Amino acid sequence: MITGGPKLPVHKTTDEDPPSPIIITQSSVHSTSTPAPGHAPFKFGPPQLASLVDLKDLDALETLGGIFGLLSGLGVNPRCGLPIGGNLPRPGDPPAVITSDHPGGECQAPDQYSYEGPPFSGTIEDRRQVYGLNALPVRKSRSLVQLMWLALRHRVSILASIVAVVSLALGFFGLGRGTGKPPVAWVEGVVHIGAIFIVVIICSLSEWQKERQLRILDHKKKQRRVNVIRCNDERVIDVKDLLVGDIALIEPGEIIPCDGVFISGHNVTCDEPGATGKSDAIKKASYDDCVALRETANGQGFDAAHTGTDCFMVSGSKVLDGHGKYVVIAVGQKSFNNGRVTMARGDPDPTPLQEKSNQLAQVISKIGCAAGLALFTALMIRFFVQLGTGEPARTANEKGIAFTQILIISVTLVVAAVPEGLPLAVTLALAFATKRMSADGLLVRIIGSCEIMANASVVCTDKTGILTQNVMTVVAGSIGVHGQFPQNFEDSKARTNAPDQDEDRDPSPERDITEAVDEPQVNPEHADDFWIDQSEISSILSPQLRQLFNQSIAINSTAFEDIDPKTKEVVFVGSKTEIALLQFAKDLGWENWKHTRDSAEIVHMIPFSSERKAMGVVIRVCSGHYRLFLKGASEILTKMCTRHVVVSKDADQSQDPNSEIDTRAIDDNISRTVISHANQTLRTIALCYRDFSSWPPPGAKLQSADEAVYDDLFEDVILVAIIGIGDPLRPGVCDAVASCRRAGVTVKMCTGDNVLTACTIATQCGIYTAGGIIMEGPYFRALDPKDRTEIAPRLQVLARSSPEDKKILVETLHSLGEIVGVTGGGTNDGPALKTANVGFSMGIAGTEVAKEASDIILMDDNFSSIVEAIIWGRCVNDAVRKFLQFQISANITTVIITFVSAVASGEEGSVLTAIQLLWVNIIMDTFAALALATDPASKSLLDRKPDTRGTRLFTADMIKMILGQSIYQVAIILIFHFLGHSILGLDHSDEGHKIVVTVVLNTLVFALVFNSVNCRRLDQRFNIFEGISNNWYFVVVILIEIGGQILIVFVGGAAFRVKPIPAREWGISLALGFASIPLGVLIRCIPTPPLERAFIKLRIMSPEVILPITGPKAVEPPALVASYVGAGSSPS
């Protein structure tokens, strides 16, 4: 049996039925394995155990002695688990019980199986030493030196390095130095190398930071906790602490973390696509059952693939149904799935934005290469013409220098034109966003999802745990039909609609009527109705009814108690609904849940299913008959109830607990109770039971030897109680829904609750608004696709919905062109999460299957975090657009001024020297990426509608700003280059020429610096300084650029061919550069629509493809909402 958890069938003994061991087949115990030196003190080595699951070899397991031989060789007690923090039972203690799926087929360990011997003396360190840790080897990261080498091998770095080497060689040999000039020309080559080194360092550091961030995210993704039995108790441990020999527990929605051999359980089925290559439900049976299946095959061999049944638990497989336990036999890299994961490791795929940016960078690079080639061709044509005419006269040395200068300026133009900062900007934006999202409670599993979420137009959210706090408590309820027990009865009479039982109501008009309008009222209409405070309900329960009530809570549950790792207090662990029920029983002082569960003989379990919205358990009671306990959605179970237990305020407390329980035929008061609780936003849970004379019930259809068809059990049940569980809304959820609406994102709620509860919750948090539609899942599912397409845009609440209904809704929204985000936490939510553009799983309450299917994990299960995901997604997209807006304008400027000035020059020189171009390239590529890609997210990003699927990377506003700033920068640079001496009143001496060159460089640098501030805004608003104090990266980069330029002017004259200039020239440079900001204001004032039409006509922009966002106007089906909300019934 499983102690403290889902109870498995065990052989019970009484005083009249003394224990007598059941001998099993000899094949189960004849293990001849002895400990070998390589894996002492245990009998089996890692390869021997790993091969069992790899081949699913039942014969090999048989040679080890079957399940008992395996457990004995691993030194583990299947009942108590490993002795972590305690001691194993010794001989003389109750024997271990290994159970099968068949009642009556329980088998006890044979006498040969004991708790002594070398394997049982093994310590934790022995297990880790022999079998390893349950962790994959850490992937070796590339060092900073390796990343620098990769950056240096980039084609742009290679071209820049060629230029630097040539420049350095010319300087060292004094080529091109005029007579009487100091021998410092080599400094330019050294600065060339220094500029390349700066770019390589920044790029490699960014890549190193990205890889580090990915490692942190990967580590967080692998964090999970699993349930095991250790020292005779269920415990929750970190998956990395699992050891070979651990007894691990199975529950629906789990992903098996390690290889193992199934011991016992109920209806356990797994999906093993990694092992079988296809998605099939593989049923898990005990070793003895598998041997029996093989024997019934007449010796033809046991083919797990053919029978669909085996006893091997494959790591990475998904538990579809059932509960049970298995022994771990392989962990870490030695397990089936983890070994393949290690082999399949590789670099993550590029995100959609990275792919777009890489394609754009290639296009710009080709244009830059074409410009460089055109410049080289033009200069070479003129060079050959000069050679032919002999003008100007040059020596052979000067001719070589001239050709070298042509080559250098052409290659430098290519280097400046190639946007190596664009991929860097995308990388920085994604790394920065994922890091900040992680701090905000969003674990990004798929990096590209944060980009997609920027354009989400619909979010389909669950209710429980996402909109509500998932802190459930029993607030009210009824025993049977008539015994109402609200919490704090005296303070909640208005909410419970309870009449004042001590005195008549005051009929005067002065009576406060707020209690009549705060909540919908359902007045009692039955004479037997009565109310009592929740804390006093034990006083009205007979002993047998109290025992039945407690059993229906404690036995039909998978929750258990464990120590909270944070508070170190003993708390319940499991489903929040089950925790609320167990806490309710504990607060009332009823029999301990563990004792109640352990004392019950469970013969069958019916795990919870989102389709049937109920779970059950069958036990054998003392009288020899069988009792089925059911727990689930009240609106479903109560329809199947034909009777209810009878309770009165003067219950006889002296009755025998084993006596019959009084029941009575059901009446219509039950629907009023459900509606009353639903109107108070309470989740209503029905507890029912049904007795059988034998199991399986006679006449019932059987799915297997001990498993009856659920529908055959789901009738003529007796109602024990209806429990109203409260789960308050999360703080801030109403504001989050309002923020989504402001951002153009529609929120739709999909919940398993009934229509009334769903309507009340949706209205409270602002999801359900005037003109919206509330519909039940079965009704929506039954609609034909055309009607669903008409309904979906206005559908706001999908009540009583299943995961399949959610998936259908997502598919319908996709057909309308919507970009959909979906939340989910259940096992069956996987398809909907995969179908959505972005799937959000619940980090606290979600199953491992849901987490694996999702793109982003909500670590706090909070709907407000989805709003943060939208904000950060838009921030990433905006960061890349800001960088593009800045860099493209800078690229246009540098290419045009270099080309024009070089062609116009008679000395193969341009307005900017090669080293000056490299400095400008650092500003407009590397530094700009650091500054603009790290802008933090702000709430103002929600003030616009999401982009559609056909939205371009370049908007009309961006192109307008790019062209305006480029024209201005080209104009002022060329004017000062050609007319600078006249404007500044300088002669044409070397000193005057250097001052003009310095002013030109200063003006260009300051124009780029102030334009980077201007590019922080993509819309038409004027406040470009909004949030600038929150981005220290930007502030520091701007200061570095300004400080670097000042140092170049005052210190770098020899290398950059500039000189210190007077204050007048500084003022002119700053004024012309600062003019970029007021120019940006003027450009924003220009109407965009006419320009957009002109851009499209001139083919500067492509026409935007807008997919449909809403379908035809939805026609609300008659009596669709009114009938639901008014009566709470489903359409029929």
Side-chain angles (χ1 to χ4, degrees):
M1 65 182 174
I2 299 180
T3 306
K7 193 73 170 55
L8 303 180
V10 296
H11 179 72
K12 291 294 175 182
T13 60
T14 62
D15 294 338
E16 294 78 13
D17 182 20
S20 57
I22 301 175
I23 305 301
I24 64 172
T25 60
Q26 183 65 19
S27 64
S28 299
V29 295
H30 82 281
S31 174
T32 59
S33 302
T34 57
H39 47 260
F42 308 106
K43 291 184 179 180
F44 316 118
Q48 191 176 10
L49 295 177
S51 65
L52 294 177
V53 172
D54 199 10
L55 302 175
K56 289 196 172 183
D57 194 343
L58 188 65
D59 294 332
L61 179 58
E62 187 175 13
T63 61
L64 301 183
I67 186 64
F68 294 119
L70 177 65
L71 293 168
S72 178
L74 294 177
V76 59
N77 180 343
R79 177 176 178 270
C80 302
L82 295 178
I84 309 298
N87 297 315
L88 281 174
R90 310 310 303 170
D93 289 346
V97 179
I98 308 299
T99 65
S100 69
D101 284 341
H102 301 289
E106 300 86 352
C107 50
Q108 237 170 245
D111 295 338
Q112 293 93 324
Y113 181 74
S114 66
Y115 304 126
E116 294 182 332
F120 289 92
S121 63
T123 63
I124 297 176
E125 290 304 320
D126 290 336
R127 295 183 186 275
R128 290 174 177 167
Q129 184 77 22
V130 173
Y131 300 111
L133 299 173
N134 188 35
L136 295 179
V138 179
R139 185 183 180 188
K140 188 177 180 180
S141 301
R142 289 174 293 190
S143 66
L144 186 59
V145 175
Q146 289 175 315
L147 293 172
M148 291 174 63
W149 174 244
L150 290 174
L152 196 58
R153 290 168 58 189
H154 192 273
R155 59 181 179 272
V156 176
S157 299
I158 293 174
L159 289 175
S161 299
I162 293 173
V163 172
V165 171
V166 172
S167 177
L168 187 63
L170 292 176
F172 270 126
F173 292 105
L175 300 176
R177 189 176 75 243
T179 306
K181 292 185 178 180
V184 293
W186 59 270
V187 175
E188 184 172 342
V190 173
V191 175
H192 254 105
I193 296 174
I196 297 170
F197 182 74
I198 290 174
V199 173
V200 167
I201 283 288
I202 293 177
C203 292
S204 55
L205 281 174
S206 301
E207 189 67 23
W208 179 81
Q209 175 67 16
K210 183 194 79 171
E211 291 197 357
R212 179 175 174 271
Q213 186 64 31
L214 289 176
R215 287 199 306 272
I216 294 173
L217 290 176
D218 186 61
H219 174 72
K220 290 185 177 181
K221 285 192 291 186
K222 292 178 181 178
Q223 289 180 347
R224 56 176 288 201
R225 301 179 71 80
V226 294
N227 295 347
V228 299
I229 298 177
R230 285 184 175 179
C231 203
N232 203 28
D233 279 321
E234 281 194 33
R235 299 186 181 181
V236 181
I237 65 171
D238 192 282
V239 69
K240 294 181 180 178
D241 295 330
L242 272 175
L243 302 170
V244 169
D246 259 320
I247 305 299
L249 303 180
I250 305 168
E251 58 184 18
E254 182 186 3
I255 294 179
I256 301 299
C258 307
D259 293 344
V261 176
F262 186 72
I263 298 177
S264 59
H266 294 279
N267 307 325
V268 176
T269 55
C270 296
D271 184 13
E272 302 175 354
T276 63
K278 56 185 179 179
S279 182
D280 282 331
I282 308 296
K283 185 173 182 179
K284 299 301 172 181
S286 66
Y287 166 76
D288 289 335
D289 289 340
C290 290
V291 171
L293 282 174
R294 182 184 62 182
E295 292 174 352
T296 58
N298 298 323
Q300 296 177 3
F302 180 70
D303 184 359
H306 177 69
T307 61
T309 303
D310 62 54
C311 60
F312 299 101
M313 306 300 296
V314 182
S315 56
S317 59
K318 303 173 184 177
V319 181
L320 302 178
D321 202 1
H323 295 83
K325 63 181 179 179
Y326 65 98
V327 58
V328 175
I329 63 172
V331 296
Q333 196 173 356
K334 301 179 181 67
S335 63
F336 179 89
N337 183 66
N338 290 337
R340 283 154 178 77
V341 168
T342 304
M343 291 187 290
R345 276 178 170 177
D347 293 329
D349 295 329
T351 68
L353 193 56
Q354 285 175 326
E355 291 179 345
K356 285 183 180 179
S357 65
N358 290 336
Q359 293 171 0
L360 180 61
Q362 290 178 2
V363 172
I364 298 175
S365 299
K366 291 177 181 178
I367 296 174
C369 290
L373 181 60
L375 177 61
F376 180 76
T377 302
L379 295 180
M380 286 303 296
I381 290 173
R382 188 177 64 185
F383 177 72
F384 287 125
V385 170
Q386 290 173 348
L387 286 179
T389 60
E391 294 292 336
R394 291 173 176 168
T395 65
N397 184 29
E398 290 173 339
K399 292 175 183 177
I401 295 298
F403 173 76
T404 305
Q405 292 297 337
I406 291 174
L407 180 63
I408 288 176
I409 197 65
S410 300
V411 172
T412 306
L413 177 62
V414 174
V415 172
V418 173
E420 65 267 20
L422 180 54
L424 175 62
V426 177
T427 298
L428 285 173
L430 288 171
F432 186 75
T434 52
K435 182 178 180 180
R436 293 297 298 271
M437 289 172 72
S438 180
D440 291 341
L442 291 159
L443 177 57
V444 181
R445 298 185 68 255
I446 308 299
I447 300 296
S449 60
C450 59
E451 306 168 14
I452 300 171
M453 200 59 202
N455 302 326
S457 55
V458 177
V459 172
C460 299
T461 177
D462 292 341
K463 176 186 76 72
T464 304
I466 298 288
L467 298 174
T468 61
Q469 298 180 24
N470 209 16
V471 180
M472 300 189 181
T473 55
V474 177
V475 175
S478 67
I479 304 171
V481 171
H482 303 296
Q484 311 289 330
F485 56 90
Q487 192 179 52
N488 302 322
F489 173 58
E490 291 300 325
D491 297 332
S492 57
K493 287 182 179 179
R495 188 192 69 212
T496 59
N497 311 308
D500 194 334
Q501 299 179 36
D502 298 326
E503 58 181 353
D504 294 335
R505 287 184 179 270
D506 181 8
S508 63
E510 290 79 9
R511 181 174 61 89
D512 186 2
I513 62 170
T514 55
E515 61 184 88
V517 297
D518 285 345
E519 302 289 348
Q521 302 295 301
V522 180
N523 295 320
E525 297 180 1
H526 201 285
D528 293 337
D529 285 352
F530 66 93
W531 282 259
I532 190 170
D533 192 85
Q534 187 179 118
S535 60
E536 301 175 2
I537 62 174
S538 294
S539 63
I540 64 170
L541 299 177
S542 62
Q544 66 269 32
L545 184 53
R546 182 168 60 247
Q547 181 186 52
L548 177 73
F549 201 166
N550 189 40
Q551 286 179 336
S552 65
I553 292 174
I555 300 175
N556 190 18
S557 174
T558 59
F560 59 93
E561 282 183 314
D562 195 12
I563 298 176
D564 189 304
K566 295 181 180 179
T567 63
K568 305 302 180 183
E569 297 179 354
V570 177
V571 296
F572 285 108
V573 177
S575 163
K576 298 298 182 180
T577 301
E578 294 183 345
I579 290 175
L581 292 172
L582 288 173
Q583 190 65 49
F584 166 75
K586 184 177 181 178
D587 292 342
L588 290 174
W590 291 353
E591 183 181 25
N592 180 265
W593 68 272
K594 193 174 188 305
H595 183 269
T596 302
R597 194 179 293 176
D598 289 348
S599 62
E601 182 181 347
I602 297 177
V603 297
H604 186 63
M605 294 185 71
I606 305 171
F608 178 81
S609 166
S610 57
E611 285 77 21
R612 53 178 172 253
K613 297 190 180 299
M615 63 183 294
V617 63
V618 180
I619 65 171
R620 189 166 67 133
V621 295
C622 298
S623 58
H625 66 276
Y626 297 85
R627 176 166 290 167
L628 166 67
F629 288 110
L630 288 173
K631 174 179 66 184
S634 61
E635 67 271 16
I636 295 177
L637 289 185
T638 53
K639 293 178 182 178
M640 307 302 170
C641 293
T642 57
R643 304 184 69 81
H644 66 88
V645 298
V646 177
V647 65
S648 61
K649 297 192 69 173
D650 52 354
D652 185 1
Q653 300 290 332
S654 62
Q655 294 184 31
D656 182 3
N658 295 321
S659 61
E660 292 291 329
I661 297 173
D662 293 336
T663 63
R664 185 182 301 168
I666 209 80
D667 59 48
D668 62 350
N669 200 56
I670 188 171
S671 61
R672 294 196 300 273
T673 301
V674 173
I675 293 173
S676 174
H677 293 333
N679 285 334
Q680 301 167 47
T681 71
L682 302 181
R683 165 176 285 186
T684 51
I685 303 296
L687 302 177
C688 312
Y689 78 99
R690 182 184 177 187
D691 288 335
F692 299 94
S693 58
S694 62
W695 187 263
K701 297 178 183 177
L702 300 182
Q703 292 179 338
S704 62
D706 69 324
E707 184 179 351
V709 175
Y710 179 76
D711 291 340
D712 290 346
L713 310 176
F714 200 31
E715 57 186 18
D716 296 331
V717 294
I718 302 173
L719 177 68
V720 177
I722 295 176
I723 307 295
I725 296 179
D727 186 13
L729 285 177
R730 286 184 179 274
V733 72
C734 298
D735 294 336
V737 172
S739 297
C740 285
R741 186 175 294 109
R742 176 162 56 101
V745 181
T746 304
V747 181
K748 301 180 186 294
M749 186 175 80
C750 303
T751 177
D753 289 340
N754 62 60
V755 168
L756 293 175
T757 302
C759 177
T760 308
I761 290 288
T763 302
Q764 285 183 357
C765 58
I767 293 176
Y768 181 52
T769 58
I773 294 177
I774 300 177
M775 186 177 288
E776 290 187 337
Y779 194 104
F780 182 76
R781 192 189 321 143
L783 295 174
D784 60 63
K786 181 181 178 181
D787 291 337
R788 282 202 296 263
T789 302
E790 294 178 347
I791 292 289
R794 288 178 55 197
L795 181 66
Q796 294 178 338
V797 179
L798 195 62
R800 245 191 74 196
S801 61
S802 67
E804 180 62 23
D805 299 327
K806 188 190 299 184
K807 180 175 179 288
I808 293 173
L809 175 59
V810 173
E811 292 173 341
T812 304
L813 292 170
H814 275 172
S815 68
L816 296 172
E818 304 280 10
I819 298 176
V820 187
V822 171
T823 69
T827 306
N828 297 327
D829 283 328
L833 293 172
K834 284 290 187 183
T835 304
N837 298 97
V838 179
F840 292 89
S841 63
M842 301 166 67
I844 300 175
T847 63
E848 290 301 319
V849 170
K851 292 177 184 177
E852 286 294 319
S854 66
D855 303 294
I856 299 176
I857 300 177
L858 302 174
M859 302 305 293
D860 55 0
D861 290 3
N862 196 337
F863 181 81
S864 299
S865 297
I866 298 178
V867 180
E868 294 296 321
I870 296 174
I871 293 175
W872 277 110
R874 295 185 177 186
C875 180
V876 169
N877 286 354
D878 281 5
V880 176
R881 282 177 168 164
K882 290 173 185 177
F883 175 77
L884 282 174
Q885 181 173 281
F886 171 78
Q887 193 197 45
I888 299 303
S889 63
N891 271 10
I892 293 174
T893 299
T894 53
V895 169
I896 291 178
I897 64 174
T898 302
F899 189 94
V900 172
S901 61
V903 171
S905 172
E907 300 178 353
E908 291 79 33
S910 73
V911 62
L912 299 176
T913 65
I915 190 62
Q916 290 173 352
L917 268 178
L918 283 177
W919 167 238
V920 171
N921 184 57
I922 291 176
I923 293 176
M924 69 183 189
D925 270 347
T926 309
F927 284 164
L930 286 171
L932 295 173
T934 54
D935 257 351
S938 66
K939 299 291 184 182
S940 62
L941 293 171
L942 298 174
D943 293 335
R944 67 172 191 257
K945 303 302 180 183
D947 293 335
T948 62
R949 294 178 186 270
T951 300
R952 317 172 193 89
L953 192 56
F954 287 92
T955 64
D957 288 330
M958 291 173 61
I959 295 177
K960 180 175 67 174
M961 186 63 67
I962 289 170
L963 293 178
Q965 294 288 347
S966 298
I967 291 171
Y968 169 73
Q969 292 168 6
V970 169
I972 61 172
I973 296 304
L974 291 181
I975 288 173
F976 270 84
H977 174 66
F978 292 110
L979 303 175
H981 294 82
S982 301
I983 294 174
L984 298 176
L986 302 173
D987 56 25
H988 290 272
S989 64
D990 287 343
E991 291 297 317
H993 178 70
K994 281 190 175 181
I995 291 176
V996 172
V997 169
T998 306
V999 171
V1000 168
L1001 179 62
N1002 255 6
T1003 302
L1004 178 59
V1005 169
F1006 286 123
L1008 293 176
V1009 169
F1010 287 110
N1011 189 36
S1012 66
V1013 180
N1014 181 67
C1015 288
R1016 294 187 66 250
R1017 185 124 231 161
L1018 294 171
D1019 53 25
Q1020 297 295 85
R1021 297 180 183 178
F1022 299 144
N1023 185 8
I1024 59 176
F1025 299 101
E1026 180 182 352
I1028 194 171
S1029 60
N1030 297 325
N1031 186 2
W1032 289 105
Y1033 288 97
F1034 187 89
V1035 175
V1036 170
V1037 166
I1038 293 296
L1039 293 177
I1040 290 175
E1041 291 173 350
I1042 295 174
Q1045 181 61 24
I1046 293 174
L1047 285 175
I1048 286 172
V1049 171
F1050 285 101
V1051 180
F1056 287 85
R1057 301 181 186 180
V1058 295
K1059 66 167 295 180
I1061 55 178
R1064 184 190 68 160
E1065 280 69 22
W1066 275 108
I1068 292 173
S1069 302
L1070 282 170
L1072 291 174
F1074 182 79
S1076 296
I1077 291 180
L1079 176 64
V1081 174
L1082 292 176
I1083 294 173
R1084 288 183 172 92
C1085 292
I1086 300 174
T1088 300
L1091 287 178
E1092 183 173 5
R1093 290 191 294 270
F1095 293 153
I1096 293 174
K1097 191 173 183 179
L1098 295 172
R1099 298 186 180 274
I1100 298 176
M1101 292 178 62
S1102 59
E1104 187 173 11
V1105 179
I1106 303 178
L1107 297 178
I1109 295 301
T1110 57
K1113 184 177 180 181
V1115 179
E1116 189 170 331
L1120 181 64
V1121 176
S1123 61
Y1124 290 0
V1125 177
S1129 60
S1130 60
S1132 58

